Amino acid sequence: MATDGMLQPSKEASVLPGIPMRSGGARARIAVIPGDGIGAEVTPEAVKVLKAVCAPTDRPLEFFQFDWGADKYLREGVTLPPGAVEMLRDEFDAILFGALGDPRVPSNQHAADILLGLRSKLDLYVNQRPVELLDDRLTPLRDRTEKDIRLIVFRENTEGLYVGVGGTFKQGTPDEIAVQEDVNSRKGVERIVRYAFEYARANGLKRLCMSDKSNAMTFAHGLWQRVFNEVRREYGDIDSCHLFIDTLAMEIVRDPRQFDVIVTCNLFGDIISDLGAQLAGGLGLAPSGNIHPGKTSLFEPVHGSAPNIAGKGIANPLGSVLTAAMMVEFLGWKPEALAIRAAVRAALKENCVTPDLGGNKDTVEVGDWLAKFVEKAAPASSSRKS
Ligand code: NAD
Ligand code: IPM
Ligand code: MN
């Protein structure tokens, strides 16, 4: 992983003396957690593009890199170090995350502690996963174009089947029992449903679909039904509907044009966002944000560590780069976000892409191309200051 230009955290990670900064200011402090596999290959490219897009402006970004991941876990037994959550919450504006997952850690303990731990402990209840076809040739759907595939998935990100409540009984015997509880709170469901409606309204999106499996999971998703039916009454301007998740999976393939905003639970949101990603060109292109409005939030591509291509230098960095665009938009820097997205579109048009998208460039070549593009395209700095 290239660490060029990045400050390394002090040994005592929780001690990072008083650097003032919260969202939306002229400067931003970003914690970078590249993680495992291709996470460590694509994240430096996103950082490179961020540095390039901010170079002509008065908006310096400070990057601090953290080596949390499988290697550290295997070496030191440390996943999320003590004090890490408070440090991220108090000293950073945002977190740029790569991916976690390593065949040497079959339990995935480090990902549970670091990724799911941060989602939960920073209370990042919104997992925002846009699905946007950026170039017609990228969709596997016949006769679909850019205007047909443009939707956004809001995944509840702190509850459901991900809370880790459960256990095994008589493990290793023929009588073994395994339990994994689906935990849904009224507050948790309401805030993500409400967020999705508010997002639709604020962005002029007219249709919202809530998806659950309340026909089978009558208790947990009965709550989703009741909350949704109550909240939707406040949003008469939005055309809201409900689909069971199995039907949604089918409909999103049959006719993706019918969806603007989808809101669903943690597990279904995970699955439907990979399906959506593929409709828009594949996992290599899909960005996401783990957000709590107004608080330090974490941005990561939808894909994982891809052990099957890790180390080959061919991972697609566009998902991570588009994630960086989401992050700067969250920080309030719209022109930079637009400049990054324009660069990605241009790379796709020029076929300056990795093999997963049919190109012959490697990860670093794509990152270099994007960095040059945003540098060249940068408008006069004075027009881009906040
Ligand atoms: P994956 O997303 O890593 O890979 C799925 C497929 O997509 C693979 O064929 C891979 O090569 C391809 N792919 C993914 N990203 C790509 C990119 N940027 N460029 C080109 N091809 C890309 O999913 P998986 O194989 O199921 O999981 C591998 C590991 O990653 C597991 O340990 C899993 O738990 C973990 N994971 C982590 C995250 C995360 O950290 N957010 C997300 C998903 C999976
Ligand atoms: C994702 C990933 C994670 C999830 C895994 C790594 C636990 O698939 O971010 O989409 O299921 O949330
Ligand atoms: Mn996933």
Side-chain angles (χ1 to χ4, degrees), residues 34-162:
D36 304 332
I38 66 164
E41 299 173 36
V42 296
T43 310
E45 302 312 312
V47 170
K48 187 190 286 175
V49 175
L50 282 171
K51 284 181 177 167
V53 81
C54 289
T57 74
D58 280 356
R59 290 175 171 164
L61 285 161
E62 292 176 338
F63 295 98
F64 287 74
Q65 188 175 310
F66 297 91
D67 64 351
W68 306 339
D71 282 345
K72 188 179 181 74
Y73 178 53
L74 291 168
R75 208 173 50 236
E76 302 168 25
V78 174
T79 55
L80 192 61
V85 175
E86 296 75 9
M87 174 197 68
L88 292 169
R89 186 193 63 203
D90 298 339
E91 303 292 347
F92 288 91
D93 291 282
I95 303 158
L96 184 65
F97 186 95
L100 288 176
D102 189 300
R104 295 170 300 166
V105 187
S107 69
N108 216 22
Q109 187 59 47
H110 66 307
D113 290 357
I114 300 170
L115 179 58
L116 303 184
L118 289 176
R119 286 177 183 167
S120 165
K121 290 174 180 157
L122 293 171
D123 200 25
L124 306 174
Y125 69 92
V126 179
N127 194 335
Q128 180 169 332
R129 295 189 153 182
V131 172
E132 190 181 357
L133 181 60
L134 297 176
D135 192 298
D136 292 352
R137 75 184 158 88
L138 297 175
T139 185
L141 297 182
R142 197 179 53 230
D143 300 332
R144 295 293 179 197
T145 63
E146 287 178 37
K147 64 181 178 359
D148 298 327
I149 303 177
R150 178 184 275 263
L151 59 93
I152 187 154
V153 176
F154 288 102
R155 164 188 181 189
E156 200 294 317
N157 212 28
T158 55
E159 300 193 340
L161 279 156
Y162 278 68

Side-chain angles (χ1 to χ4, degrees), residues 230-349:
E230 212 175 288
V231 172
R232 72 196 297 195
R233 276 191 234 125
E234 295 172 36
Y235 296 88
D237 51 323
I238 310 288
D239 178 10
S240 58
C241 71
H242 167 264
L243 288 177
F244 297 121
I245 188 65
D246 44 355
T247 305
L248 172 63
M250 176 273 289
E251 285 293 338
I252 209 173
V253 173
R254 189 183 67 79
D255 184 8
R257 276 178 311 186
Q258 61 187 302
F259 300 105
D260 291 331
V261 174
I262 291 169
V263 60
T264 189
C265 67
N266 208 336
L267 181 63
F268 297 168
D270 178 44
I271 297 166
I272 216 78
S273 58
D274 269 35
L275 175 56
Q278 190 55 54
L279 301 186
L283 276 173
L285 267 167
S288 87
N290 301 262
I291 294 168
H292 187 126
K295 295 194 180 173
T296 306
S297 295
L298 183 154
F299 296 82
E300 53 163 347
V302 174
H303 67 72
S305 55
N308 60 338
I309 58 164
K312 296 186 177 158
I314 55 165
N316 186 347
L318 297 181
S320 186
V321 170
L322 289 168
T323 294
M326 279 182 84
M327 184 181 77
V328 291
E329 188 163 3
F330 167 80
L331 294 171
W333 302 359
K334 188 95 188 205
E336 284 79 0
L338 291 175
I340 294 173
R341 290 190 188 114
V344 169
R345 276 183 185 276
L348 291 168
K349 205 158 180 247

